[in-house]
Amino acid sequence: MAQFYNLEPGRAKLGEGPLTARFRLNKDYVMSLTNANLLRGFYMEAGLWSYSGNGGTTTASTTSMEGPEQWHWGWEAVTCELRGHFMGHWLSAAARIYAQTNDVMVKAKADTIVSELARCQEANGGGWLAAFPETFMHRLLNGKWVWAPHYTVHKLLMGLLEMYQLAGNRQALSIAKGMADWFYRWTSALSQEQLDELLDMETGGMLETWAELYGITRADEHRKLMERYVRNRFFDLLLRGEDVLTNKHANTQIPEILGAARVYEVTGDERFRRIAESFWTCAVTKRGYLCTGAGDDGELWMPHQDMEARLGVGQEHCVNYNMMRLSHTLLRWTGNPAYADYWERRFVNGVLAHQHADTGKISYFLGVAPGSRKTWGSETGHFWCCHGTLIQANAAYESQIYLRDGDGVAIAQWIPSVAAIELEGVRIGFAIEQDSQQGLYPMNKWNVTGMKAITEVHRPAIPVTRPDRFLFSVKVSCDRAAQFALKLRIPWWVKERASITVNGILQQDVPEGAGFYKLNRMWSDGDLVKVELPKALAAEPLPGSPDRYAFVDGPVVLAGLTDEDRLLVGDAERPESLLTPDRERNHSWWNAGYYKTKGQSANIRLIPLHEIKDESYTVYFQVKAAEQTAQ
């Protein structure tokens, strides 16, 4: 069924570096939110908490540390119909952080919250659990508008299931089973027509939830519940090859497709694999995408290969995150490295670009139009859906790096890290390190390695100018010699041919271009693989607008520091005729992706999109040759 398999949780860990700093920023935020505020809506619905200002008596205090000014607001406000959605995101993030760090404080906090949710479920009668009343579900059946209760429940259920799977909390599974009982009874009374109407009202990833639960329990009721949430009105059109996405709410469909993918994995029914693959064809292959990987703007799918008129609000992070999840699923099924390339594009220019590098705050949307700005949500005042997917995404970098297959191990993403696995009784370790002086290392700042490079004169000299390549080393450790294949992804952005050595011996058969390069040999403890990935500055056309370009430096999308739509004069086929390196080194690190225009009537600077904070910026520029402008 699959070409690749994920490692078991906790087998891979991040190495020290810029991504570790981003991870810790996210972890600190996750741990900073109080239990009382996370649980407030659930307590209120279960009758375990109420608030009446000063208590309704003349003797009560008129001030309170638990007053509304300390509560969660925005989409988590007790007055918002979507309240409670963030709890599921939080549980997923906490489970993933624990799997990565084994931090007992994270687990203790998450376990406490799960136990309190169980108390709320018991107070509700043992089945229903949400931060809103059951009547919201009945309103759906009566055709009355209510804001996405299924979506909210899905987030909670997935958080509970991940607490069980990643953090070993069996109580979380028990809560999920109780919720499944409620939904099984509720849907048992519905006709197929009623179910079809229900599934058209943003059910989020409920199908994935039930498929995941069925995969755990193999209970007949959970299989039937899964089958009831199959949205055939949507899936049948996809299988017929119709475009059912353009101008539709982008993040409504992707969770349903992730559900179809999970149904395939737990049942083996090939129809659901075809559904997922047909969606990818419609959403990505035929539609095309922006330099960031996005095919959506302002939550709507843009038309096929025609996107300039839609560059407004920008890509939504929930879409970004869920498309990354889908691309990873398709990578596992097919072994096709193009899906890993897509994931990398979305990660570097999505996940990292939606998070403020200093504060950890998140942006709902990420624009690429002239004069775009990032709008940052506050710590407790917004709680957009993307707030939740950002804390999940920034808790799980390591899960995409290493994959298993029948021959051995694949490195799908070039992220400094370590991994420990067992192959046929042999314990094998991998350590990926990145050279930040002889090669590029985006987002790098002050570090000891850099300080030694500029202070110790006996070390090899660093390059005179900024390197044009990424350098990685992979150290293999094993308790005895072992035969296996190590597959190394050569990314889409590589220039010409990657250079790979094993214990100093250059591999002569590395092909040009992207793909997986396979090293099948007898490995010994201490073997060292070095990988050199040369990159080039490139100009990528906007789908449907061949004279408008974004500049991409390796995997990094560049953003021009201007609030205007700029015309650049030069040759887009030779982007070095338009851009020149700028501020290439700062103290002990290279500024990867820093450029400025040259030869223009007024020149501007460009920096990586993921480094933009509060500046106005532009990503796509009209580019014309000098002779065209003279005409």
Side-chain angles (χ1 to χ4, degrees):
M1 182 181 290
Q3 295 288 327
F4 289 132
Y5 302 87
N6 292 327
L7 299 190
E8 295 176 357
R11 289 288 186 177
K13 307 284 187 184
L14 282 180
E16 285 298 320
L19 282 182
T20 309
R22 292 285 193 115
F23 177 89
R24 288 171 180 160
L25 201 62
N26 185 60
K27 177 190 173 189
D28 289 346
Y29 171 70
V30 166
M31 291 297 287
S32 74
L33 299 175
T34 68
N35 294 10
N37 276 331
L38 288 167
L39 288 159
R40 193 173 306 281
F42 294 89
Y43 284 153
M44 182 179 70
E45 181 55 35
L48 301 178
W49 174 86
S50 64
Y51 181 81
S52 301
N54 65 5
T57 71
T58 57
T59 59
S61 171
T62 57
T63 61
S64 172
M65 290 301 291
E66 289 296 319
E69 63 275 14
Q70 279 85 38
W71 299 351
H72 289 174
W73 289 98
W75 291 12
E76 280 299 303
V78 292
T79 53
C80 179
E81 289 179 336
L82 213 63
R83 60 187 180 268
H85 79 101
F86 186 75
M87 172 61 83
H89 293 293
W90 189 94
L91 287 171
S92 290
R96 295 175 186 190
I97 291 169
Y98 174 69
Q100 170 69 190
T101 64
N102 295 321
D103 188 326
V104 294
M105 296 299 289
V106 174
K107 180 163 170 56
K109 182 178 177 71
D111 285 346
T112 299
I113 287 177
V114 169
S115 68
E116 288 300 286
L117 289 172
R119 191 161 71 95
C120 292
Q121 186 180 49
E122 183 180 2
N124 288 332
W128 178 257
L129 177 65
F132 55 82
E134 297 176 46
T135 54
F136 279 20
M137 306 304 298
H138 304 317
R139 281 169 56 183
L140 281 182
L141 291 180
N142 294 328
K144 295 181 180 179
W145 172 254
V146 59
W147 193 7
H150 267 121
Y151 155 84
T152 305
V153 170
H154 157 244
K155 297 303 178 188
L156 177 60
L157 280 165
M158 289 304 291
L160 288 166
L161 291 176
E162 290 193 312
M163 277 297 297
Y164 166 70
Q165 293 168 318
L166 302 179
N169 187 306
R170 299 194 64 83
Q171 189 174 35
L173 177 61
S174 177
I175 296 171
K177 288 179 179 178
M179 295 173 70
D181 290 344
W182 188 95
F183 276 91
Y184 181 80
R185 291 192 302 271
W186 183 65
T187 55
S188 293
L190 305 182
S191 67
Q192 187 59 54
E193 183 178 355
Q194 286 176 306
L195 283 170
D196 288 341
E197 292 295 321
L198 193 67
L199 296 178
D200 280 342
M201 301 179 73
E202 195 173 359
T203 54
M206 291 295 285
L207 177 60
E208 183 185 10
T209 294
W210 302 137
E212 196 69 50
L213 185 60
Y214 173 65
I216 295 169
T217 68
R218 293 293 167 176
D220 188 57
E221 286 189 358
H222 298 155
R223 179 184 58 80
K224 291 178 179 177
L225 192 53
M226 175 183 73
E227 292 169 349
R228 291 171 187 171
Y229 275 80
V230 173
R231 191 184 176 195
N232 285 319
R233 281 181 177 176
F234 172 40
F235 294 165
D236 289 347
L237 293 175
L238 276 176
L239 289 173
R240 289 206 292 266
E242 298 185 22
D243 175 15
V244 287
L245 299 183
T246 299
N247 293 329
K248 298 298 183 181
H249 185 210
N251 203 41
T252 292
Q253 296 90 18
I254 312 169
E256 293 170 330
I257 296 302
L258 289 167
R262 192 65 185 130
V263 172
Y264 164 65
E265 291 180 339
V266 299
T267 67
D269 188 335
E270 290 286 339
R271 176 175 179 265
F272 290 94
R273 175 169 177 155
R274 292 196 302 273
I275 289 167
E277 292 172 336
S278 297
F279 176 85
W280 187 270
T281 298
C282 183
V284 180
T285 308
K286 292 182 177 179
R287 190 171 312 276
Y289 47 81
L290 304 176
C291 55
T292 61
D296 64 297
D297 183 86
E299 300 197 5
L300 300 183
W301 290 106
M302 294 185 284
H304 284 192
Q305 302 294 335
D306 185 14
M307 299 180 176
E308 183 173 355
R310 298 297 184 93
L311 301 185
V313 176
Q315 71 183 30
E316 181 190 12
H317 183 265
C318 287
V319 174
N320 185 73
Y321 176 67
N322 283 322
M323 289 302 289
M324 288 170 66
R325 292 187 61 211
L326 180 59
S327 66
H328 184 68
T329 297
L330 294 173
L331 169 66
R332 288 192 293 100
W333 290 357
T334 67
N336 186 344
Y339 294 116
D341 290 339
Y342 182 89
W343 188 96
E344 178 187 46
R345 187 186 288 263
R346 286 285 207 169
F347 175 66
V348 174
N349 308 297
V351 172
L352 299 179
H354 277 270
Q355 184 196 40
H356 195 294
D358 295 336
T359 66
K361 292 180 181 179
I362 67 94
S363 63
Y364 193 141
F365 296 108
L366 181 69
V368 293
S372 293
R373 292 186 76 96
K374 297 179 182 179
T375 299
W376 302 108
S378 64
E379 291 89 341
T380 58
H382 290 90
F383 290 107
W384 303 312
C385 51
C386 298
H387 194 142
T389 53
L390 251 298
I391 68 166
Q392 287 180 255
N394 284 299
Y397 307 143
E398 85 295 338
S399 61
Q400 316 293 321
I401 303 170
Y402 305 91
L403 293 167
R404 290 280 304 273
D405 69 1
D407 294 332
V409 177
I411 293 177
Q413 300 298 332
W414 290 103
I415 295 175
S417 54
V418 296
I421 66 170
E422 187 170 307
L423 284 174
E424 298 182 356
V426 181
R427 290 189 295 273
I428 302 170
F430 300 92
I432 301 175
E433 294 184 352
Q434 188 166 358
D435 190 326
S436 63
Q437 297 302 316
Q438 303 296 321
L440 291 174
Y441 198 161
M443 301 192 304
N444 223 346
K445 299 300 179 188
W446 187 94
N447 58 78
V448 173
T449 300
M451 278 300 297
K452 290 182 176 180
I454 66 173
T455 58
E456 297 182 354
V457 296
H458 65 283
R459 289 177 174 270
I462 60 176
V464 174
T465 58
R466 186 170 62 198
D468 65 350
R469 57 203 60 226
F470 293 76
L471 304 178
F472 298 92
S473 63
V474 183
K475 186 175 183 180
V476 178
S477 58
C478 44
D479 54 7
R480 66 176 186 271
Q483 177 83 35
F484 64 89
L486 178 62
K487 296 183 177 70
L488 308 172
R489 182 176 67 93
I490 310 300
W492 58 276
W493 45 263
V494 74
K495 180 185 178 182
E496 298 170 353
R497 190 190 306 271
S499 173
I500 298 175
T501 64
V502 180
N503 298 329
I505 300 173
L506 182 66
Q507 305 301 293
Q508 301 291 342
D509 59 343
V510 179
E512 288 192 13
F516 277 114
Y517 175 70
K518 184 175 180 179
L519 288 167
N520 197 342
R521 64 191 300 274
M522 183 68 72
W523 297 89
S524 299
D525 189 48
D527 281 347
L528 183 65
V529 180
K530 290 194 174 182
V531 180
E532 186 172 316
L533 302 175
K535 60 86 184 171
L537 188 65
E540 292 190 358
L542 174 64
S545 303
D547 64 342
R548 193 169 285 274
Y549 294 85
F551 296 100
V552 183
D553 192 28
V556 179
V557 170
L558 305 183
L561 300 180
T562 176
D563 58 5
E564 299 175 339
D565 188 3
R566 292 292 189 96
L567 169 66
L568 301 181
V569 179
D571 182 2
E573 297 296 320
R574 296 174 51 251
E576 65 276 8
S577 70
L578 292 157
L579 305 185
T580 189
D582 178 54
R583 307 186 188 193
E584 63 177 16
R585 190 164 176 89
N586 189 349
H587 196 261
S588 52
W589 65 89
W590 296 109
N591 280 327
Y594 277 53
Y595 290 86
K596 62 183 177 183
T597 59
K598 63 180 181 179
Q600 309 301 314
S601 57
N603 288 306
I604 62 171
R605 295 177 56 225
L606 294 92
I607 66 174
L609 180 60
H610 60 67
E611 289 196 18
I612 292 287
K613 296 171 185 172
D614 302 309
E615 308 93 330
S616 292
Y617 64 93
T618 295
V619 171
Y620 279 98
F621 298 88
Q622 190 176 18
V623 179
K624 289 189 176 181
E627 56 269 22
Q628 290 179 296
T629 58
Q631 295 173 359

